[in-house]
Amino acid sequence: MGKPLLFEIWQKPASSCIIGICTVIWFYIQKKNIGYANVGLSYETAIEGHYWRIITSAFSHISVVHLVFNMSALWSLGVVEQLGYMGLGVEFYLQYTLILVVLSGLLVLGVYHILIQKFKLEYFRRVTAVGYSCVVFGWMTILAVKQPSSKLNLFGFLSLPISFAPFESLIFTSIIVPQASFIGHLSGIVVGYSIAWGLIHGMSNYWAISMLGWIILVFLLSLKRTGASNLSFIEIEPVTDSSFPAVGYFASGNSRTLQMDILPGRVAELV
């Protein structure tokens, strides 16, 4: 007889929260009839400054099958939170989830850039990635290295040996769902191995909070700059001198406003 659901949620607090967030976002997307092109990540939108899509694309799912598949796998991978004695645990899970979300998204864009600029494959300019799959494949890979005897349970009845799960799932999804992002899934695997093998290490609560702060700042500024959201408390004004961009607060009545001076053509310096 399995453990009670509430007990498992208590043992997997971070996974449970992320599943809840993704589910709420899915319901919101359905209610507002938002298309994946409006929240997904593509090379074309990235070079236009839509950096916020690295985050929205990861947590958005357009179809219920897509959502259920990813969240079922994530629930099974939540066992990472219970492996504190192996150097994993809840803090490790939260810290490196940030790494997986950001680096897998950047790696996807990097691969698109090479395919477009070096191999002239213009098709990849408009390919749009969406879903939490990159992070799921990353955790699948980390668990395969750290605890190869584990099993990946999907939908409550399908069980895969975790040691082969990353590449089995990569091939399986590519065959069953041809439109699935092979590059996105492979990017998650690459970042996952980099973490599991210690190539990316040294994260702490301090660095995780600092990184989260920068993610939020870039997210809000790119939302404002691209006009994707009217954030009235942020003002972005160009300047004509040759100094570096400056960020600061100034008082406006009873409120405080974030003002950022940016040189034309130097947006890339913000990231």
Side-chain angles (χ1 to χ4, degrees), residues 66 69-70 104 107-108 129-138 141 166-167 169-174 177 179-192:
H66 189 198
F69 184 85
N70 280 347
S104 59
L107 186 56
V108 167
V130 66
Y132 206 69
S133 306
C134 290
V135 183
V136 168
F137 273 83
T141 304
F167 293 102
S169 299
L170 182 66
I171 296 170
F172 176 78
T173 53
S174 298
V177 189
Q179 68 270 30
S181 177
F182 180 88
I183 293 175
H185 295 168
L186 187 59
S187 296
I189 291 174
V190 170
V191 177

Side-chain angles (χ1 to χ4, degrees), residues 13-14 18 24 29 41 45 64 69 73 75 78 87 98 151 153-154 175 208 210 219 238 240 261:
I18 292 172
V24 168
I29 286 174
L41 178 66
T45 55
V64 65
F69 184 85
W75 178 256
L98 283 176
K151 298 281 187 179
N153 298 308
L154 296 174
I175 295 173
S210 299
F219 182 87
T240 56
D261 298 328

Side-chain angles (χ1 to χ4, degrees), residues 1 39 44 59 77 80 84 91 93 98 118 135 152 156-159 161 180 197 249 253 259:
M1 185 175 179
V39 293
E44 196 168 60
F59 292 92
L77 293 166
V80 170
E91 287 188 5
Y93 185 91
L98 283 176
K118 300 296 183 182
V135 183
L152 176 66
F157 62 87
L158 180 62
S159 181
W197 290 340
Y249 286 92
Q259 177 176 315

